[in-house]
Amino acid sequence: MATEHLTETNFEGAIANCVTLVDFFATWCGPCKMLSPIVEEIAAESDGSFSVYKVDIDEAGDIAMDFGIMSVPTLIVFKNGEEAERMIGVQPKSAILDAVKKHVG
């Protein structure tokens, strides 16, 4: 199952009341293409304690601007709508999971 893409209309609601990993990416970005399967794998393995979404910075530029996304890929962990952690560039699966899981619970 593909990870849901967020837009300006559904972004706030998606991150509001839980721990959420958001992958800010661009379709033209090589490193983003390298990271995408890792993010999809994390989403598929999620036990429901957190959510995983993607934001295409070219389609949702306002969201990217609001969070000061200067380079992609950027991963942000949100907890109850607030930014809890940020990772820039391709990250190993273990590092991403560690960042998410320390905010769960």
Side-chain angles (χ1 to χ4, degrees):
M1 182 171 153
T3 306
E4 182 180 348
H5 286 229
L6 297 178
T7 64
E8 279 90 356
T9 57
N10 63 359
F11 183 82
E12 291 295 326
I15 68 165
N17 298 311
C18 58
V19 174
T20 309
L21 173 66
V22 179
D23 175 16
F24 289 86
F25 77 102
T27 56
W28 46 261
C29 165
C32 298
K33 292 176 185 175
M34 292 171 50
L35 183 63
S36 185
I38 297 169
V39 172
E40 294 292 337
E41 200 174 299
I42 291 169
E45 295 173 4
S46 169
D47 60 3
S49 61
F50 63 93
S51 301
V52 180
Y53 297 103
K54 296 175 82 69
V55 172
D56 184 334
I57 64 163
D58 292 324
E59 293 179 4
D62 288 346
I63 297 171
M65 196 179 324
D66 288 347
F67 289 97
I69 304 300
M70 303 298 281
S71 61
V72 287
T74 295
L75 298 167
I76 299 180
V77 178
F78 293 93
K79 184 170 185 176
N80 298 324
E82 299 294 323
E83 182 176 334
E85 191 145 347
R86 181 179 294 227
M87 296 165 279
I88 299 171
V90 177
Q91 303 290 321
K93 180 180 175 182
S94 60
I96 298 167
L97 285 172
D98 288 347
V100 171
K101 289 184 177 180
K102 74 180 174 185
H103 298 288
V104 173

